Amino acid sequence: QAEDGIRDRSPSRGLGDVYKRQALLTPVVLSLRERVAAPWRRHLLTAGLLASAVPAAATANRGMLLVLGVSIAWYIAVQLRRGQQRAAGRALGLSLAATAVAAAGGVFSLIAERQAVSDTTTGRASVYLATLEQVQRSPILGFGAPRPSQEIGIALGTQGAIWMYLFSYGVIGALLFLAFLVGVLVLTRGTPGLPDQDAWLRAVLAGALVACWFYGFDGTHLSIIVIVAGLLLRSRAQATPATQATQATQAALPLQRVHAGRAGGYRWS
């Protein structure tokens, strides 16, 4: 995780996996914060988030910042579509404040310095192109697992979950993974009665759709994604019966007024 020579190798070993999880778990904590009723619990969760932001920003992990940005932008867009301007404004204010603090702390300068020392973007691009070229030999079934490449010195099917699924399980495997994430987002989109707190949970899946292109997912990351998807689908299942009953009542209301109108000498139209 310290290939750029800026961060010390021993202390930073494994930090990439830690902050991949933080990128996915931060919206989960924000969702929990909106669910708890006790003010002291909200303050405790807020303090934990702020404390974790300091070492996270110091790593200059561009991928983590990108995923968090996408998740927050998704949440703001969903809340605006729901007409929840106050919730969207709070999230926007929080993100602007965090950006200002990061800029004042020199985080963006650190990212630029790291990029000047080690251009990992170019290295990843070479892996992706080599992976796509190799996948053409077995596009349906793939190769079962990533394989080392003597030409570029990095295993093909790495540097991103979607590339591993594409290389290991073929086009069908990669499409099934993307269909799972998109499918849950579509199924829970605009579900009447869905709690507002679940907007943060949907933001986790939106962030995962971005992270999968340059982050590998291990068992912990996949567990977070699957548990969040299960919570969203459960909320949808619990909201649907009540919503259907409400819609049925509203649909029957004009008919009842028609009969009442006839009895009273007028007709509802």
Side-chain angles (χ1 to χ4, degrees):
Q1 302 297 336
E3 76 287 346
D4 49 31
I6 295 178
R7 290 175 288 169
D8 181 74
R9 291 180 177 273
S10 298
S12 61
R13 184 175 300 277
L15 284 180
D17 287 338
V18 171
Y19 292 110
K20 276 188 288 184
R21 295 168 189 152
Q22 180 163 346
L24 296 177
L25 283 174
T26 296
V28 176
V29 176
L30 290 170
S31 175
L32 177 62
R33 183 184 178 278
E34 293 191 6
R35 294 173 187 270
V36 296
W40 68 269
R41 292 183 178 179
R42 289 192 175 189
H43 297 330
L44 183 63
L45 290 172
T46 302
L49 283 174
L50 294 176
S52 66
V54 176
T59 64
N61 192 308
R62 296 167 297 169
M64 178 198 66
L65 297 176
L66 175 61
V67 173
L68 284 176
V70 169
S71 299
I72 294 173
W74 175 279
Y75 174 83
I76 292 174
V78 168
Q79 294 295 51
L80 288 176
R81 185 176 62 84
R82 288 182 170 183
Q84 302 291 335
Q85 286 81 6
R86 293 184 61 183
R90 288 196 300 267
L92 179 60
L94 178 64
S95 60
L96 291 177
T99 302
V101 172
V107 173
F108 299 117
S109 299
L110 183 60
I111 292 175
E113 184 179 353
R114 176 188 176 190
Q115 185 68 15
V117 174
S118 176
D119 187 6
T120 57
T121 303
T122 302
R124 286 177 178 270
S126 63
V127 178
Y128 300 154
L129 291 174
T131 298
L132 288 173
E133 183 178 352
Q134 192 72 11
V135 165
Q136 296 177 16
R137 298 177 50 190
S138 181
I140 305 300
L141 298 178
F143 297 92
R147 295 184 180 181
S149 172
Q150 296 181 353
E151 290 77 8
I152 61 176
I154 302 177
L156 302 179
T158 59
Q159 308 303 312
I162 196 65
W163 304 104
M164 190 195 76
Y165 302 144
L166 180 64
F167 187 85
S168 302
Y169 312 118
V171 176
I172 295 177
L175 290 178
L176 285 175
F177 176 75
L178 293 175
F180 165 70
L181 294 178
V182 175
V184 175
L185 287 173
V186 171
L187 284 174
T188 56
R189 176 181 178 273
T191 302
L194 198 66
D196 290 339
Q197 298 90 337
D198 286 350
W200 278 120
L201 296 183
R202 297 181 73 237
V204 175
L205 302 185
L209 274 173
V210 176
C212 68
W213 295 95
F214 50 84
Y215 272 160
F217 290 159
D218 60 17
T220 302
H221 307 119
L222 292 175
S223 296
I224 295 171
I225 293 171
V226 171
I227 290 172
V228 166
L231 291 173
L232 286 170
L233 293 175
R234 185 188 67 174
S235 294
R236 177 179 181 270
Q238 291 176 345
T240 300
T243 303
Q244 291 177 346
T246 302
Q247 291 176 346
T249 302
Q250 292 176 348
L253 186 58
L255 183 60
Q256 296 173 359
R257 290 177 176 174
V258 167
H259 294 299
R262 288 176 179 175
Y266 68 92
R267 180 186 180 96
W268 178 271
S269 58

